[in-house]
Amino acid sequence: MTVSLIAAHSANRVLATDGRIPWHLPADAAHFRRCSEGKCLLVGRRTYEQMQGWFRPGQTPVVVTRDDALAVRGGHSVRSVESGLLLAAQSGTDECMIIGGGEIYAAALPCAGVLILTLVHTTLAGDVFFPVLDPNEWQETWSHHHPADASHAFAFTIRRLVRS
């Protein structure tokens, strides 16, 4: 099973500010939907709650939480990233995508073989950050730049990296 992290972060690695994504990038949101279609999605509880309405049929949310009573519609709750990855592997899925937040990315990064990262070309204040990557561990295999325009306040570049 491939473990992939998919995230959008600013030039200073900001993922969120006050529990919210600090940009609106429709083309990146569409890219996220395409990449995560039909996948097992490992996510932290706060991010899961903020993403209500994002999940589609065929996606299986696996929520990392300390709340054993959390009901996850169409998915599962687990106590750790390791438990979530084990559950995904046992389900027979070919790919488990890690979709946030910051603590979940940091915990899952050592297990990841693929990173799908959107670099938002701005620097912002924030309180949730993407982990620092060792550039010697990753090789870019694809990238696509999207300029700022009427629908996108910031330019961004989507990159696919694989562990070297």
Side-chain angles (χ1 to χ4, degrees):
M1 174 184 76
T2 301
V3 177
S4 302
L5 272 66
I6 186 167
H9 64 79
S10 69
N12 58 327
R13 298 185 356 270
V14 168
L15 292 165
T17 303
D18 295 326
R20 294 280 181 227
I21 296 171
W23 48 73
H24 176 69
L25 303 171
D28 185 55
H31 168 75
F32 173 88
R33 288 192 190 282
R34 281 189 306 275
C35 287
S36 63
E37 188 175 332
K39 306 282 191 219
C40 177
L41 305 177
L42 188 62
V43 60
R45 181 199 46 84
R46 286 184 302 245
T47 302
Y48 171 73
E49 290 172 352
Q50 292 163 357
M51 290 184 71
Q52 291 303 306
W54 272 79
F55 298 101
R56 302 281 194 228
Q59 292 175 327
T60 305
V62 176
V63 181
V64 179
T65 180
R66 290 182 206 86
D67 181 359
D68 293 328
L70 180 69
V72 179
R73 197 164 92 205
H76 311 277
S77 65
V78 294
R79 300 281 263 162
S80 67
V81 166
E82 295 78 14
S83 296
L85 292 173
L86 181 61
L87 178 73
Q90 291 172 342
S91 76
T93 188
D94 63 334
E95 183 175 19
C96 180
M97 296 197 90
I98 314 303
I99 64 170
E103 290 178 27
I104 303 302
Y105 287 132
L109 185 59
C111 304
V114 176
L115 304 177
I116 303 167
L117 299 178
T118 299
L119 172 60
V120 182
H121 298 288
T122 189
T123 300
L124 300 168
D127 50 23
V128 180
F129 295 86
F130 193 79
V132 175
L133 299 177
D134 179 346
N136 297 318
E137 290 185 28
W138 300 95
Q139 179 178 5
E140 184 178 291
T141 61
W142 179 88
S143 70
H144 173 74
H145 179 75
H146 191 291
D149 60 25
S151 298
H152 300 84
F154 304 110
F156 60 94
T157 302
I158 301 171
R159 302 170 61 212
R160 183 178 191 277
L161 300 110
V162 295
R163 194 176 291 276
S164 5

